[in-house]
Short mmCIF file of all heavy atoms in Angstrom, two decimals:
data_model
loop_
_atom_site.label_atom_id
_atom_site.label_comp_id
_atom_site.label_asym_id
_atom_site.label_seq_id
_atom_site.Cartn_x
_atom_site.Cartn_y
_atom_site.Cartn_z
N SER F 29 111.99 93.82 89.04
CA SER F 29 111.44 95.23 89.30
C SER F 29 111.93 96.07 88.15
O SER F 29 113.14 95.97 87.70
CB SER F 29 111.83 95.65 90.53
OG SER F 29 111.37 97.03 90.88
N ALA F 30 111.02 96.95 87.66
CA ALA F 30 111.27 97.81 86.55
C ALA F 30 110.89 99.22 86.69
O ALA F 30 109.90 99.40 87.52
CB ALA F 30 110.68 97.17 85.24
N CYS F 31 111.55 100.17 86.02
CA CYS F 31 111.24 101.59 86.06
C CYS F 31 111.62 102.22 84.84
O CYS F 31 112.36 101.60 83.94
CB CYS F 31 111.77 102.18 87.30
SG CYS F 31 113.53 102.56 87.25
N SER F 32 111.23 103.52 84.61
CA SER F 32 111.67 104.19 83.53
C SER F 32 112.01 105.65 83.94
O SER F 32 111.16 106.25 84.71
CB SER F 32 110.58 104.29 82.29
OG SER F 32 110.96 105.22 81.29
N TRP F 33 113.18 106.21 83.50
CA TRP F 33 113.47 107.68 83.96
C TRP F 33 113.04 108.54 82.80
O TRP F 33 113.13 109.78 82.87
CB TRP F 33 114.81 107.75 84.30
CG TRP F 33 115.98 107.73 83.17
CD1 TRP F 33 115.92 108.29 81.94
CD2 TRP F 33 117.25 107.27 83.32
NE1 TRP F 33 117.02 108.18 81.27
CE2 TRP F 33 117.94 107.41 82.15
CE3 TRP F 33 117.90 106.59 84.39
CZ2 TRP F 33 119.21 107.03 81.94
CZ3 TRP F 33 119.19 106.27 84.25
CH2 TRP F 33 119.86 106.48 82.93
N GLY F 34 112.50 108.07 81.65
CA GLY F 34 112.07 108.96 80.59
C GLY F 34 111.79 108.20 79.29
O GLY F 34 111.94 106.94 79.26
N PRO F 35 111.25 108.81 78.33
CA PRO F 35 110.89 108.17 76.99
C PRO F 35 112.20 107.38 76.48
O PRO F 35 113.29 107.99 76.43
CB PRO F 35 110.62 109.38 76.10
CG PRO F 35 110.01 110.40 76.96
CD PRO F 35 110.92 110.29 78.24
N GLY F 36 112.00 106.11 75.94
CA GLY F 36 112.95 105.41 75.38
C GLY F 36 113.89 104.71 76.39
O GLY F 36 114.84 103.93 75.92
N ARG F 37 113.72 104.82 77.59
CA ARG F 37 114.57 104.12 78.67
C ARG F 37 113.80 103.36 79.55
O ARG F 37 112.77 103.67 80.15
CB ARG F 37 115.33 105.27 79.41
CG ARG F 37 116.18 104.68 80.63
CD ARG F 37 117.49 104.25 80.04
NE ARG F 37 118.24 103.58 81.21
CZ ARG F 37 119.64 103.54 81.30
NH1 ARG F 37 120.29 104.02 80.25
NH2 ARG F 37 120.18 102.96 82.26
N VAL F 38 114.23 102.01 79.77
CA VAL F 38 113.71 101.13 80.77
C VAL F 38 114.80 100.51 81.52
O VAL F 38 115.85 100.05 80.90
CB VAL F 38 112.76 100.08 80.11
CG1 VAL F 38 112.39 99.07 81.09
CG2 VAL F 38 111.69 100.74 79.27
N ASP F 39 114.78 100.41 82.83
CA ASP F 39 115.67 99.67 83.65
C ASP F 39 114.95 98.65 84.42
O ASP F 39 113.89 98.90 84.96
CB ASP F 39 116.37 100.73 84.57
CG ASP F 39 117.37 101.66 83.92
OD1 ASP F 39 116.97 102.64 83.45
OD2 ASP F 39 118.46 101.22 83.81
N VAL F 40 115.58 97.51 84.49
CA VAL F 40 115.01 96.44 85.29
C VAL F 40 116.13 95.68 86.07
O VAL F 40 117.25 95.48 85.56
CB VAL F 40 114.15 95.39 84.27
CG1 VAL F 40 115.16 94.83 83.26
CG2 VAL F 40 113.54 94.31 85.07
N VAL F 41 115.88 95.16 87.20
CA VAL F 41 116.75 94.47 88.04
C VAL F 41 116.18 93.15 88.56
O VAL F 41 114.82 92.99 88.76
CB VAL F 41 117.24 95.26 89.29
CG1 VAL F 41 118.05 96.53 88.80
CG2 VAL F 41 116.05 95.68 90.08
N ALA F 42 117.06 92.16 88.91
CA ALA F 42 116.59 90.95 89.47
C ALA F 42 117.65 90.27 90.15
O ALA F 42 118.77 90.68 90.00
CB ALA F 42 116.01 89.97 88.37
N ARG F 43 117.31 89.20 90.93
CA ARG F 43 118.25 88.58 91.77
C ARG F 43 118.93 87.38 91.07
O ARG F 43 118.22 86.56 90.52
CB ARG F 43 117.64 88.15 93.08
CG ARG F 43 118.60 87.42 94.19
CD ARG F 43 117.80 87.23 95.36
NE ARG F 43 118.62 86.30 96.31
CZ ARG F 43 118.03 85.93 97.43
NH1 ARG F 43 116.84 86.25 97.91
NH2 ARG F 43 118.82 85.18 98.22
N TYR F 44 120.15 87.38 90.94
CA TYR F 44 120.95 86.36 90.24
C TYR F 44 120.86 85.06 91.01
O TYR F 44 121.01 85.03 92.24
CB TYR F 44 122.37 86.82 90.08
CG TYR F 44 123.32 85.98 89.13
CD1 TYR F 44 122.80 85.65 87.90
CD2 TYR F 44 124.49 85.59 89.52
CE1 TYR F 44 123.46 84.89 86.99
CE2 TYR F 44 125.19 84.92 88.51
CZ TYR F 44 124.73 84.56 87.28
OH TYR F 44 125.65 83.87 86.51
N HIS F 45 120.77 83.90 90.26
CA HIS F 45 120.52 82.59 90.76
C HIS F 45 121.62 82.05 91.62
O HIS F 45 121.58 81.53 92.60
CB HIS F 45 120.17 81.65 89.71
CG HIS F 45 120.07 80.21 90.16
ND1 HIS F 45 119.03 79.83 90.99
CD2 HIS F 45 120.73 79.07 89.97
CE1 HIS F 45 119.09 78.51 91.26
NE2 HIS F 45 120.16 78.06 90.55
N TYR F 46 122.88 82.35 91.08
CA TYR F 46 124.05 81.64 91.69
C TYR F 46 124.69 82.36 92.82
O TYR F 46 125.01 81.87 93.89
CB TYR F 46 125.07 81.41 90.55
CG TYR F 46 124.72 80.44 89.53
CD1 TYR F 46 124.37 81.03 88.17
CD2 TYR F 46 124.49 79.16 89.69
CE1 TYR F 46 123.95 80.18 87.17
CE2 TYR F 46 124.03 78.34 88.74
CZ TYR F 46 123.73 78.83 87.44
OH TYR F 46 123.25 78.00 86.54
N TYR F 47 124.95 83.66 92.66
CA TYR F 47 125.61 84.29 93.69
C TYR F 47 124.93 85.40 94.45
O TYR F 47 125.44 86.25 95.14
CB TYR F 47 126.95 84.99 93.24
CG TYR F 47 127.83 83.99 92.35
CD1 TYR F 47 127.88 84.00 91.00
CD2 TYR F 47 128.63 83.01 93.03
CE1 TYR F 47 128.76 83.11 90.26
CE2 TYR F 47 129.34 82.05 92.41
CZ TYR F 47 129.40 82.05 91.03
OH TYR F 47 130.15 81.13 90.40
N LYS F 48 123.73 85.64 94.12
CA LYS F 48 122.75 86.54 94.77
C LYS F 48 123.14 87.96 94.25
O LYS F 48 122.61 88.89 94.89
CB LYS F 48 122.81 86.37 96.28
CG LYS F 48 122.65 85.06 96.75
CD LYS F 48 121.50 84.30 96.26
CE LYS F 48 121.40 82.89 96.92
NZ LYS F 48 120.30 81.98 96.28
#
Side-chain angles (χ1 to χ4, degrees):
S29 177
C31 72
S32 175
W33 73 39
R37 174 78 184 206
V38 177
D39 288 85
V40 61
V41 294
R43 184 176 170 181
Y44 191 46
H45 176 65
Y46 296 110
Y47 305 109
K48 315 306 180 190

